[in-house]
Structure formats: structure tokens, C-alpha cells
Amino acid sequence: MDILGWSLVVILFVVGMAGAIWPILPGVFAIYGAFFVYGFFFTFEPFGWVFWTVQTLILVVLVIADHAVSAWGVHRFGGSKASIIGSTIGLILGPFVIPAFGLIIGPFAGAVIGELAVGSNIEKSFKVGIGSLVGLLTSVVVKIILQAAMIVLFIIWLMSN
């Protein structure tokens, strides 16, 4: 049972970190779920209210920041609400439509199409598309750092208790 428990924890950590890049994976929720898997298979004893408060705050910050940072990139480059919506749709559909490069092309194309739909010229639309990529890449970096921090805190917590 120990091997199964640790295997599930590690798999959830890997899925969580992959979710920082691949938006259809549960990301931070997989990492958070790994803590519960550990508790069910082994014990919840090392995890007091401080652990759960810190991890939950990181989860909330990640969920809010994920959407806010991506929208910030589009907005910072002069994008409209339509380009933010287009970028989000492109982020979700891109990897399915163009498997190898859809994660990059999808948000860019979605933002450009969204901006063109509201009557912007092609130059501004491309600028907004670049903004969607800046927001996406910034969001990915933030997710990787904070999700890695969640995992490191988990390990430190286990080692210190």
C-alpha cells in the first residue's frame, strides 16, 4: 500500500506541474489533491492548520493569478474584452486543433481574431496577440514557481514532523 500511496502522490505532482504548461490538466488542484492522497494512505498528522492555510492561500493565489495575468498581458498591449475572450478560447482549443504548437498559436490567434472582430486594424491586433503570449508565458512561470513551492513545502513539512 505504501508504494501505491507514494506512486499516486508522485503522479499527482507530475500531473500538477504539467498542468502549469498544459491548461487542460488540473494543475494546482492535482498537487493539492496529492496532500489528501498522502493523508488517506498514510496520515494527516503532520499537516496542521498552518500547513492547510498556507497551501490553500497558494492555491487561491494561483487560480486568481492564472486568469488575471493572462488577461493583464492582453490588456497591457491594448486589447479589448473581445481579445481577452478570444485568447482564452484559443488557449483552451489551440492544443486540440494544432497539437504541437496550439498552446502558443491558439491564444495568439484568438486574441488577434477577437481584436479584429471589434474593428481594430491588423497592426494593433498583432500587438494584442503578442500581449496574449506575454501574459501566457508570465502565467506559466508564476504557476511553475508557486506549484513547485507547494511541493517543496509538503516535503519540508514531512521531513520536519
Side-chain angles (χ1 to χ4, degrees):
M1 277 310 251
D2 286 358
I3 293 172
L4 177 61
W6 277 111
S7 295
L8 289 173
V9 168
V10 169
I11 288 168
L12 286 169
F13 283 164
V14 170
V15 167
M17 291 307 290
I21 298 168
W22 194 263
I24 62 168
L25 294 176
V28 68
F29 294 106
I31 292 171
Y32 199 75
F35 308 148
F36 287 98
V37 168
Y38 179 87
F40 291 133
F41 272 87
F42 304 104
T43 179
F44 282 100
E45 191 176 321
F47 310 130
W49 69 271
V50 174
F51 174 84
W52 289 109
T53 302
V54 169
Q55 294 291 14
T56 302
L57 284 173
I58 294 172
L59 179 136
V60 169
V61 166
L62 267 167
V63 169
I64 293 170
D66 188 26
H67 299 292
V69 170
S70 294
W72 166 85
V74 174
H75 183 71
R76 179 85 168 97
F77 281 71
S80 65
K81 191 173 265 190
S83 55
I84 292 171
I85 293 169
S87 176
T88 303
I89 292 169
L91 179 65
I92 294 167
L93 295 180
F96 295 109
V97 177
I98 310 167
F101 303 102
L103 188 60
I104 302 295
I105 295 171
F108 176 82
V112 170
I113 292 167
E115 201 57 34
L116 287 171
V118 295
S120 295
N121 63 34
I122 194 76
E123 184 178 321
K124 180 180 180 190
S125 298
F126 271 92
K127 182 180 172 187
V128 171
I130 296 296
S132 75
L133 293 180
V134 169
L136 171 69
L137 295 176
T138 304
S139 175
V140 167
V141 169
V142 168
K143 286 189 284 188
I144 288 171
I145 291 169
L146 289 178
Q147 289 178 186
M150 290 176 78
I151 295 168
V152 169
L153 285 172
F154 169 78
I155 293 167
I156 290 171
W157 226 273
L158 288 181
M159 295 176 96
S160 66
N161 287 313

